[in-house]
Amino acid sequence: MTPRGKQTVRDLRRSSRSTLLRHLYFHGPLSRQELGTATGLSAGSVSNVTGELLTDGLIEECGSVDSDGGRPRILLRVTPGQAHLVGIDIGETQVRVTLFDLALTELASADQPLLAAHDPERVVRMIAGGLDQVLAAAGVPAENVLGIGIGVPGIVEQGTGADPGAGTVVHGQTFGWDAVPFGRMLREHTPLPLYVDNGAKTLGQAEMWFGAGRGSRHAVVALFGSGVGACVIADGVRFRGATSSAGEWGHTKVHVGGRPCRCGSRGCLEAYVGAEALVERWDGTVPGTSEKAGLAALLRAAEEGRPSAVALLDEAAELLGASIADLVNLFNPERIVIGGWAGLLLGPRLLPAIGEAATRYALAYPRSRTTITLSDLGPDAVTLGAATLPLTHFLDSGGEMPDHLAAVAAV
Amino acid sequence: MTPRGKQTVRDLRRSSRSTLLRHLYFHGPLSRQELGTATGLSAGSVSNVTGELLTDGLIEECGSVDSDGGRPRILLRVTPGQAHLVGIDIGETQVRVTLFDLALTELASADQPLLAAHDPERVVRMIAGGLDQVLAAAGVPAENVLGIGIGVPGIVEQGTGADPGAGTVVHGQTFGWDAVPFGRMLREHTPLPLYVDNGAKTLGQAEMWFGAGRGSRHAVVALFGSGVGACVIADGVRFRGATSSAGEWGHTKVHVGGRPCRCGSRGCLEAYVGAEALVERWDGTVPGTSEKAGLAALLRAAEEGRPSAVALLDEAAELLGASIADLVNLFNPERIVIGGWAGLLLGPRLLPAIGEAATRYALAYPRSRTTITLSDLGPDAVTLGAATLPLTHFLDSGGEMPDHLAAVAAV
DNA sequence: CTGCTTACTTCACGCCGAGATTTAACGTCT
DNA sequence: AGACGTTAAATCTCGGCGTGAAGTAAGCAG
């Protein structure tokens, strides 16, 4: 059980670099002094390692603060422009490519509409085009990009070996992608490191880093859109399961044998409370309008007191609450964050009822240790979350620059 | 996110000791040679570390094998009698205390019946008595015991600080224990390290180490008894959640708003397929018979073709399959093991139907990567699993002996 | 300019694992 | 029997690590 790899003495340095870099990244500019007490490293080691990071250009000095009567502390921070990251969101209606600096400030963005056809080859070409576009717009050379994070709809099977990103295979049951060798197709267009994950999971990552999940180590980010998904964070890292498909909440059952779902099964949560299902079930649907407009109309009708709309939303809150209770019982999180465009739209109205239903359906003790909140991130969070994938790798490795320069030159 | 503690160069040695000890423990007697290639450590380091472990008495030489033409390899193994472990099962009807050696061979056991009254103070006294009894029977001094693992019914809140075991609080909703300071009460009777967890979880541990879960890193052990529970293993370690209560599968919903459950909620899986619920729902129940006899009678009736019994078991299989599908979707395990006394009893008959229902209700891709099997462990597995708790700690620490000798002397 | 405080740097030390070298413990061949 | 080859294990050297103490830098107050 739990075999741990061998460690050499050099791994210690990598661990120290990672610790300091990470701390500096998340807790703003800090002096070496503070860094030492916060991370537990001795002052000597901090000096040593920060010196290394400084000569590598990964961190830089930025001002100083007085220290009553003594030598002022020099503040250090991660150099924002030292490296860059690309985040890509492949949604139902568009492909969005965004370039960030290390501080995850958006530098350039490129949107391309995705109509009915989701042909993988076409999507890959759009990504390659968008990539060139944002790099050119910001004047950033490709070898300065640490990696490309991509959020895709569907289940992602991670690759293995030296270039795991290139081995990625995507199973997008509702997107029309069946075992698409997405990583291999992308690798033909770019030599940059690839990090692919499900779009709901990258949104969850963004929520954990910058949104309502900030500060918790055990959380579930519930994404409530056209379909329903979830991203589970356990002990600070995303829970992946054996084949990275953990957290497929939308197709858990609320009524075994109940309403048919687009996944082919029956009684799924998504078949009751997914935006598509809600709009379809509401008899006020006007053909030809979009899903978002339909859901907004449903909400308006409920606020005007139309009984059918009120009943539908009440039922949705009850089912969501019960299903969130399942998440509480199974994952025992500190926090549950409700996000996704439908969640943001209906959340303010439904949240109290959801919380009460969760209390009725969950076990008392874990429920008492969980708070349920709404997301506070905008719709661009998928690209942001996608960009955290290469960033996480960068911080974990202690600021190692991928050696794709040769590969770039070779293309 | 993911702060990792500082590491000194001495932690490397602990890591190496742990790696070698662990490998030796699980992969039988091995020569230093094989140990080196298997763990990736250099021959020099293996020699060095095993030398240390040998002088500590944690491992010993045991025979040798020829190496055609050269110096024979000396086999090493963990010294079974160097230390001992205690596993305790607090069940609905009895308290069982078992003493094991390091190889988890049973040395002595003490059972004490637990009738209607589950008074915590009484249970603690029974544990203390049983402990003295097994130690005396095997002639093992208390300071030779690495720790006491205890499986209790209910949700376990782990303590923190220097003596986490003593801070354990148990919330046993169905057992009549409400926030019982179990660790503190036990600490008054013994100075030995305490490791408390839910009984279903310790059973799951046993299943992972020695049962049907062996060899998988991502698994769910579903316990099917009077109630229903689960133990989730992610990446080789038990998934605990924020407050150690993750995996409370029995109270997830199969029909939101359905049958009332003893937990106070409605529509829980346990209210449909728990042994208590099944026996109660079957109209053939004879008052005064035990739950086990009742379930056996239900099974017999179904095998004789009684329609009401057949229908009840068919429905149970359908619901279990659907709920297992939820586990597949949410946790994405490699394997699902069905255990517990009711699972062992009904399993052979229900397993095919459960598997088919799971296939109907789960997403295709994760379901295709999961196998569903029956447990192959006996009823004493809870104590065995409980004993793995201190053992895990021992192996993780690289074979560190707890310094409770002074404490033993002081009592 | 002198002391004083505080932040940072340098350096000796003990310890680590890797890898090369040496020693140990066997078979086999002459 | 004794030399030799072969393989396992022990020993040794080496570069590298973090610690903690000693030393240096940079401000302030008098």
Side-chain angles (χ1 to χ4, degrees), chain A residues 187-264:
Chain A
R187 179 54 75 238
E188 285 170 16
H189 290 86
T190 175
L192 294 170
L194 300 169
Y195 302 86
V196 185
D197 207 338
N198 176 281
K201 317 303 185 206
T202 68
L203 195 63
Q205 287 284 357
E207 203 66 62
M208 291 304 293
W209 283 42
F210 306 105
R214 226 175 23 240
S216 50
R217 297 192 61 71
H218 301 269
V220 178
V221 182
L223 277 316
F224 177 27
S226 176
V228 178
C231 175
V232 179
I233 307 289
D235 217 16
V237 297
R238 157 138 139 66
F239 183 91
R240 314 188 79 92
T243 56
S244 289
S245 84
E248 286 296 329
W249 181 43
H251 302 284
T252 59
K253 310 304 160 219
V254 291
H255 285 300
V256 173
R259 276 176 63 85
C261 175
R262 58 177 176 175
C263 76

Side-chain angles (χ1 to χ4, degrees), chain A residues 276-319:
Chain A
E276 188 180 321
L278 281 180
V279 170
E280 185 197 315
R281 290 172 69 193
W282 186 44
D283 50 13
T285 315
V286 182
T289 54
S290 80
E291 217 165 67
K292 294 194 189 190
L295 198 65
L298 167 59
L299 181 62
R300 253 195 327 276
E303 276 168 357
E304 286 162 6
R306 287 260 294 272
S308 64
V310 170
L312 192 54
L313 289 188
D314 284 353
E315 191 217 50
E318 176 87 1
L319 292 177

